[in-house]
């Protein structure tokens, strides 16, 4: 249950734009997963699959008014699957979707969960209005036969009425013979977030040193409602600092940003800078709630090195 005293769920107490956006989406019944561009497929309605895509994993959920929480589902991969593209199915109320993979078979099926019900290896992340993630030809994330994928949904209802939906992930795949490079996914960022009361454009940094050779294919900034901007850089071990991403950020448009085979070498430091405004009189810290904050950049790379990981971070 949301803390109505501390967080405020009425529109005159929450950040007005966030409440208005959620209310508008719920009223219109629109789905996520589209950029609004003409070449983007429409999101599937509950129980259906977006044309041209195959459903990988999904689950239905319902929420009472002024509630947010987590819903999970774990399924077994029956045969080797090579995913070349991802599409989110995110009806109103879907805050974000995290897909992870492991050899852990339990719990299986749909289950109640929290933010920590994640495996050690990330596969994909999406959120509100996340556009499709398409890898280059010959590049795919492998879901090995006999492993288990876990979908962790963060769902939130900031309205005065119950809402429900079916959220999930759809994919396009390659044949094994078509795969030249296997890819993997991780998060760059930090949990050390302390945004001061009244702060304007306060920057929070995170970083990690690359342990191996990577080619970055895509970046996915993820922050919450106080966020304004994100930069992602690489400080080369040989000296220069290069900017990979410099974008304004809005919680209601959690976009993928394709990269063109950016080479990262062992010893290079990946850096993320998250910028926030805090108009409240309380310090804002890290948290899973939609009205707390995060500072992450999801990134997709190849070659996959086969080591279980979720974060590339100085925690």
């Amino acid at each position: 249950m949301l803390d109505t005293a501390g967080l405020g769920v009425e529109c005159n107490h929450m950040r007005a734009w966030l409440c208005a956006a959620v209310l508008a989406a719920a009223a219109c019944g629109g789905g996520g997963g589209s950029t609004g561009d003409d070449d983007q497929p429409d999101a599937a309605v509950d129980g259906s699959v977006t044309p041209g895509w195959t459903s990988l994993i999904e689950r239905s959920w319902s929420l009472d008014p002024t509630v947010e929480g987590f819903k999970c589902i774990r399924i077994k991969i029956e045969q080797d699957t090579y995913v070349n593209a991802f599409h989110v199915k995110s009806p109103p109320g879907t805050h974000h979707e995290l897909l992870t993979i492991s050899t852990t078979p339990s719990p299986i099926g749909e289950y109640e969960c929290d933010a920590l019900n994640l495996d050690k290896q990330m596969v994909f992340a999406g959120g509100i209005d996340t556009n499709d993630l398409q890898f280059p030809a010959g590049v795919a994330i492998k879901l090995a036969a006999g492993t288990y994928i876990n979908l962790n949904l963060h769902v939130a209802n900031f309205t005065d009425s119950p809402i429900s939906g079916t959220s999930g992930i759809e994919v396009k795949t390659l044949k094994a013979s078509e795969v030249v490079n296997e890819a993997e996914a991780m998060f760059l960022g930090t949990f050390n977030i302390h945004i001061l009361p009244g702060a304007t454009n306060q920057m929070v940094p995170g970083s990690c040193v690359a342990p191996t050779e990577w080619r970055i294919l895509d970046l996915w900034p993820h922050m919450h409602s106080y966020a304004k901007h994100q930069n992602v850089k690489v400080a080369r071990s040989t000296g220069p600092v290069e900017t990979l991403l410099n974008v304004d950020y809005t919680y209601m448009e959690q976009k993928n940003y394709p990269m063109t085979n950016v080479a990262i070498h062992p010893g290079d430091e990946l850096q993320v800078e998250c910028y926030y405004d805090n108009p409240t009189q309380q310090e804002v810290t890290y948290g899973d709630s939609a009205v707390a904050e995060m500072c992450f950049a999801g990134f997709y790379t190849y070659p996959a090195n086969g080591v279980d990981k979720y974060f590339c971070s100085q925690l």
Side-chain angles (χ1 to χ4, degrees), residues 80-95:
D80 287 349
T81 303
Y82 297 90
V83 180
N84 177 252
F86 293 88
H87 174 77
V88 294
K89 180 178 176 180
S90 300
T94 310
H95 173 269

Side-chain angles (χ1 to χ4, degrees), residues 41-179:
D42 294 331
V45 297
D46 287 359
S48 69
V49 178
T50 307
W53 296 81
T54 298
S55 179
L56 176 67
I57 188 170
E58 66 179 25
R59 72 155 291 175
S60 300
W61 50 268
S62 60
L63 290 175
D64 291 331
T66 68
V67 169
E68 66 175 323
F70 294 84
K71 307 290 183 180
C72 290
I73 179 173
R74 186 186 304 274
I75 64 172
K76 184 178 181 180
I77 298 297
E78 298 293 345
Q79 61 185 17
D80 287 349
T81 303
Y82 297 90
V83 180
N84 177 252
F86 293 88
H87 174 77
V88 294
K89 180 178 176 180
S90 300
T94 310
H95 173 269
H96 68 242
E97 301 166 306
L98 294 176
L99 182 65
T100 56
I101 189 168
S102 71
T103 58
T104 302
S106 179
I108 196 74
E110 295 185 1
Y111 65 100
E112 298 302 301
C113 58
D114 59 33
L116 298 179
N117 285 103
L118 300 166
D119 301 312
K120 292 182 179 179
Q121 177 66 58
M122 189 176 110
V123 175
F124 174 77
I128 300 173
D129 204 28
T130 295
N131 51 322
D132 297 340
L133 173 62
Q134 175 71 63
F135 295 139
V139 177
I141 289 180
K142 180 180 180 179
L143 309 179
T147 59
Y148 296 82
I149 55 174
N150 186 78
L151 178 64
N152 184 300
L153 299 174
H154 183 186
V155 288
N157 181 7
F158 293 119
T159 75
D160 295 327
S161 301
I163 63 173
S164 62
T166 298
S167 303
I169 295 170
E170 300 169 344
V171 297
K172 294 180 180 180
T173 61
L174 300 179
K175 298 176 182 178
S177 60
E178 297 174 320
V179 178

Side-chain angles (χ1 to χ4, degrees), residues 10-309:
E10 296 179 358
C11 280
N12 59 338
H13 290 144
M14 356 172 8
R15 294 195 74 186
W17 70 265
L18 174 60
C19 185
V22 173
L23 288 172
C28 295
S34 171
T35 63
D37 297 336
D38 291 340
D39 60 351
Q40 276 288 328
D42 294 331
V45 297
D46 287 359
S48 69
V49 178
T50 307
W53 296 81
T54 298
S55 179
L56 176 67
I57 188 170
E58 66 179 25
R59 72 155 291 175
S60 300
W61 50 268
S62 60
L63 290 175
D64 291 331
T66 68
V67 169
E68 66 175 323
F70 294 84
K71 307 290 183 180
C72 290
I73 179 173
R74 186 186 304 274
I75 64 172
K76 184 178 181 180
I77 298 297
E78 298 293 345
Q79 61 185 17
D80 287 349
T81 303
Y82 297 90
V83 180
N84 177 252
F86 293 88
H87 174 77
V88 294
K89 180 178 176 180
S90 300
T94 310
H95 173 269
H96 68 242
E97 301 166 306
L98 294 176
L99 182 65
T100 56
I101 189 168
S102 71
T103 58
T104 302
S106 179
I108 196 74
E110 295 185 1
Y111 65 100
E112 298 302 301
C113 58
D114 59 33
L116 298 179
N117 285 103
L118 300 166
D119 301 312
K120 292 182 179 179
Q121 177 66 58
M122 189 176 110
V123 175
F124 174 77
I128 300 173
D129 204 28
T130 295
N131 51 322
D132 297 340
L133 173 62
Q134 175 71 63
F135 295 139
V139 177
I141 289 180
K142 180 180 180 179
L143 309 179
T147 59
Y148 296 82
I149 55 174
N150 186 78
L151 178 64
N152 184 300
L153 299 174
H154 183 186
V155 288
N157 181 7
F158 293 119
T159 75
D160 295 327
S161 301
I163 63 173
S164 62
T166 298
S167 303
I169 295 170
E170 300 169 344
V171 297
K172 294 180 180 180
T173 61
L174 300 179
K175 298 176 182 178
S177 60
E178 297 174 320
V179 178
V180 178
N181 289 292
E182 291 184 19
E184 62 187 358
M186 275 169 283
F187 274 114
L188 165 69
T190 182
F191 297 102
N192 187 20
I193 299 175
H194 299 276
I195 308 168
L196 300 177
T200 300
N201 211 35
Q202 180 178 330
M203 192 270 281
V204 173
S207 67
C208 79
V209 176
T212 187
E213 190 81 13
W214 285 325
R215 295 282 181 140
I216 294 184
L217 299 167
D218 186 89
L219 292 169
W220 181 71
H222 184 68
M223 301 182 283
H224 290 174
S225 61
Y226 297 94
K228 304 293 290 183
H229 196 86
Q230 186 176 114
N231 295 332
V232 179
K233 303 176 180 180
V234 54
R236 301 293 184 181
S237 58
T238 54
V241 176
E242 301 171 18
T243 297
L244 304 183
L245 189 69
N246 182 349
V247 294
D248 291 333
Y249 181 87
T250 169
Y251 170 85
M252 299 303 293
E253 293 182 354
Q254 300 178 33
K255 300 298 186 184
N256 281 301
Y257 293 90
M259 301 283 110
T260 307
N261 276 344
V262 177
I264 304 296
H265 309 296
D268 290 349
E269 183 182 55
L270 287 170
Q271 303 172 344
V272 60
E273 298 173 345
C274 300
Y275 292 83
Y276 308 90
D277 289 349
N278 179 8
T280 77
Q281 298 305 306
Q282 292 80 39
E283 181 181 74
V284 175
T285 59
Y286 174 86
D288 298 299
S289 169
V291 287
E293 266 307 335
M294 289 187 176
C295 175
F296 293 121
F299 66 101
Y300 299 84
T301 72
Y302 76 88
N305 62 29
V307 178
D308 286 348
K309 67 186 74 65

